[in-house]
Amino acid sequence: MERGVPIRAARRPRGGAPLALLLPAAVGLTFLVLPLIGLLVRAPWSAMPELLSGDAVWPALRLSLICATLATGLSLVFGVPLAWLLARTTFPGRRLARTLVTLPLVMPPVVGGVALLLVFGRNGLVGQWIYQQFGYSLPFTTAGVVVAEAFVAMPFLVLSVEGALRGSDARYEEAALTLGASRFTVFRRVTLPLIAPGVGAGAVLAWARALGEFGATITFAGNFPGTTQTMPLAVYLALQDNPDAAIAVSLVLLLVSLAVLFALRGRWTTGTH
């Protein structure tokens, strides 16, 4: 590039999309959108206030929002340092550690709930010691809901933050180190501002995943109204007895998720401010 010539943004290729790509893309979009349209079309809009006025709906929604937020907080506290460790350091077994971190993404949630019971249950590897020392049993409690949701949601945050770390320019961190800053100061003052959009995107994904968690929650925490019954569990129970109520509760959960994603999308998931 000659001096004085401005750098122009890369242009998109001209021309329409080839039919071999357009058709599968249209089918994929239809496959993802059609169930949501069906939910909206079949919703009992006229009876919605009556269906949502039940005693189990709003406590379940409140519990879901609180537990998903706490699970996201746990994911941030432990997941961001873990992502930094995987992206910025080299240690024996790092590839194995990354594999284990991503394992909850592909593991059936019910299996995750069973694994949590074997570790944190009253007779579990860690839960046994907790019960003997403090007389506290984690399963089938509200704290158990938070733990189950954090277990399935944290990998989304770790992968997002690790990708942001690998895509960021490490020269700023190296320059701060040469000026005498400690590694923690560099992480706090340089690294975190650089990867803030990635951290925010990971937090949103983790929150949405925690909000919709079902299998690990019902296995590890049970389904007790007001204590461990989250919105997905309330939908499952309502579907057996009152399908219209299940649709109404599903719409509430869908609208809450869409509101959060739309509110944060421009700021975080696209990396803009």
Side-chain angles (χ1 to χ4, degrees):
M1 181 67 65
E2 296 181 0
R3 183 177 299 178
V5 178
I7 300 176
R8 296 181 179 178
R11 296 181 178 177
R12 296 181 180 179
R14 294 182 178 179
L19 191 62
L21 297 178
L22 184 60
L23 286 179
V27 172
L29 180 62
T30 303
F31 173 73
L32 294 175
V33 174
L34 191 59
L36 303 180
I37 296 176
L39 188 64
L40 295 174
V41 171
R42 296 295 300 274
W45 295 105
S46 59
M48 194 72 69
E50 179 182 355
L51 293 172
L52 293 179
S53 62
D55 296 334
V57 175
W58 296 112
L61 176 60
R62 178 177 176 272
L63 184 67
S64 295
L65 296 176
I66 292 175
C67 290
T69 303
L70 291 176
T72 304
L74 283 179
S75 300
L76 286 168
V77 170
F78 299 108
V80 173
L82 178 57
W84 181 88
L85 189 71
L86 294 175
R88 287 287 191 265
T89 63
T90 302
F91 57 90
R94 184 177 66 169
R95 183 173 299 178
L96 176 61
R98 183 178 291 111
T99 301
L100 295 176
V101 167
T102 57
L103 187 60
L105 292 175
V106 296
M107 177 190 300
V110 175
V111 177
V114 173
L116 289 172
L117 276 175
L118 296 177
V119 174
F120 296 107
R122 184 173 296 185
N123 297 318
L125 298 177
V126 178
Q128 180 177 261
W129 177 83
I130 295 176
Y131 185 73
Q132 291 174 353
Q133 296 295 323
F134 306 100
Y136 179 76
S137 181
L138 185 61
F140 309 108
T141 62
T142 303
V145 177
V146 176
V147 170
E149 291 180 351
F151 177 75
V152 299
M154 189 182 298
F156 289 88
L157 176 74
V158 173
L159 292 180
S160 178
V161 175
E162 185 186 0
L165 284 166
R166 293 186 180 278
S168 63
D169 194 343
R171 291 178 297 178
Y172 297 104
E173 301 172 46
E174 295 171 358
L177 288 172
T178 58
L179 293 176
S182 65
R183 284 199 171 272
F184 182 72
T185 300
V186 172
F187 173 78
R188 182 170 55 90
R189 301 292 297 273
V190 179
T191 307
L192 275 182
L194 285 175
I195 64 171
V199 174
V204 171
L205 291 175
W207 189 88
R209 179 65 184 88
L211 189 68
E213 171 51 33
F214 177 85
T217 302
I218 196 172
T219 306
F220 182 64
N223 185 19
F224 302 105
T227 304
T228 64
Q229 187 180 89
T230 57
M231 287 291 282
L233 274 63
V235 170
Y236 177 75
L237 286 182
L239 188 61
Q240 301 177 21
D241 301 326
N242 191 348
D244 287 341
I247 295 175
V249 177
S250 298
L251 282 174
V252 173
L253 193 58
L254 177 63
L255 291 176
V256 170
S257 302
L258 287 176
V260 173
L261 290 177
F262 275 116
L264 297 181
R265 183 171 179 80
R267 179 182 177 89
W268 294 117
T269 59
T270 59
T272 58
H273 295 270

